[in-house]
Amino acid sequence: MSELPGIVVTGASGRMGRMLMKTVVDSGKARLVGAVERAGNDYLGQDAGPLIGAGDLGVTVTDDPVAVFAKAQAVLDFTAPAATLEFAALAAQARAVHVIGTTGMSDDEIAALEPASRHAVIVRAGNMSLGVNLLVQLTRKVAAALDEDFDIEVIEAHHHHKVDAPSGTALMLGEAAAEGRGQALADLADRGRDGITGARKRGDIGFSAIRGGDIVGEHDVLFAGQGERIVLRHLATDRGIFARGALKAALWGIGREPGQYDMADVLGF
């Protein structure tokens, strides 16, 4: 058992952190060797097992990532942008694979990952699921096949606790659509409409965000032309798909050359 890769989960007491820990523990492919939380968290000093409905795992929740990163082969990180940047530097020092599922990162924050990626593997994606990453590929292909007579809208829905919009997945889809048309999303994105906005600008990629209840994640890419519409859709009903994808990315990254990768690399698309 000790030969299995060691995994650390950050944000361990959160909804996604618990799912990540459970996925690692249940996988039979890796060991949970660390559970990290911020200073002042109620679970600090306690065993991580009860967080996932298990007995003691011998893994104490800590606010000292340095110590646990040092004994890990990979870090699973679905936290917040500022924390992720700190973890990236520490994971690079430990030469651990850093799997980043954190959303809401700005272009500057993403660029700030570059120094860490020179020393360790970083796998970053707005969504870790197989289905979503297939949807990204399909979106790129459909956008390339259709001209600007087809308007593109990305519609996403999430639970009412989500703090960023559009979602990281929606932005992945928007970027894929823009790439399909040979352009940059920054030049095409229309993220908000309110009041008298005027007619839709030809070629723009629109975004709409829905927040409510316990929606895990729903994403539609709408291609609307004259007299016809094409809708590509992915519905997530189990947060476990993201955790399983993250673990797959971590195991894939172990032993690879330092650099920045995404789920398309992991899945071989």
Side-chain angles (χ1 to χ4, degrees):
M1 192 71 170
S2 62
E3 296 179 356
L4 295 175
I7 307 289
V8 171
V9 172
T10 63
S13 70
R15 181 163 33 185
M16 195 64 214
R18 296 180 192 219
M19 181 63 72
L20 289 165
M21 290 195 298
K22 181 171 175 53
T23 298
V24 171
V25 170
D26 291 347
S27 71
K29 300 176 181 178
R31 295 173 296 130
L32 182 69
V33 298
V36 176
E37 260 301 348
R38 63 181 125 187
N41 184 274
D42 291 342
Y43 292 95
L44 291 177
Q46 299 182 34
D47 191 273
L51 284 170
I52 60 172
D56 284 358
L57 300 173
V59 176
T60 302
V61 180
T62 179
D63 60 0
D64 180 13
V66 175
V68 289
F69 283 17
K71 57 185 178 182
Q73 282 69 58
V75 176
L76 306 184
D77 176 18
F78 286 60
T79 55
T84 289
L85 292 179
E86 293 181 15
F87 293 142
L90 297 176
Q93 291 174 18
R95 301 300 189 265
V97 176
H98 187 192
V99 178
I100 300 174
T102 302
T103 61
M105 298 186 74
S106 68
D107 290 342
D108 287 344
E109 287 166 334
I110 292 170
L113 295 171
E114 177 60 28
S117 72
R118 298 188 198 123
H119 304 285
V121 171
I122 292 178
V123 182
R124 187 185 66 83
N127 193 300
M128 298 283 174
S129 88
L130 171 61
V132 161
N133 283 278
L134 178 58
L135 180 61
V136 168
Q137 304 303 316
L138 293 173
T139 297
R140 185 179 292 110
K141 290 181 179 295
V142 174
L146 301 176
D147 61 23
E148 291 184 351
D149 286 340
F150 281 81
D151 298 320
I152 302 176
E153 293 282 323
V154 181
I155 305 105
E156 54 102 345
H158 284 87
H159 53 86
H160 57 212
H161 297 292
K162 188 166 180 60
V163 298
D164 59 305
S167 69
T169 303
L171 293 173
M172 283 173 60
L173 294 167
E175 287 168 0
E179 289 168 6
R181 289 189 167 172
Q183 299 184 66
L185 180 60
D187 298 328
L188 304 178
D190 183 356
R191 297 197 185 188
R193 303 183 182 115
D194 185 23
I196 307 301
T197 60
R200 189 186 199 282
K201 183 180 176 183
R202 180 179 170 85
D204 274 0
I205 297 174
F207 290 86
S208 298
I210 298 166
R211 297 289 177 267
D214 61 354
I215 301 170
V216 173
E218 301 178 359
H219 294 87
D220 289 347
V221 184
L222 168 66
F223 296 85
Q226 296 297 313
E228 60 181 333
R229 287 174 290 171
I230 300 165
V231 181
L232 305 178
R233 167 173 286 188
H234 180 269
L235 304 179
T237 58
D238 175 10
R239 195 165 277 101
I241 63 174
F242 311 128
R244 291 190 290 273
L247 178 58
K248 183 179 181 71
L251 297 176
W252 176 89
I254 294 171
R256 295 192 181 268
E257 290 295 315
Q260 293 196 54
Y261 302 89
D262 60 22
M263 284 302 288
D265 297 311
V266 175
L267 299 171
F269 289 154

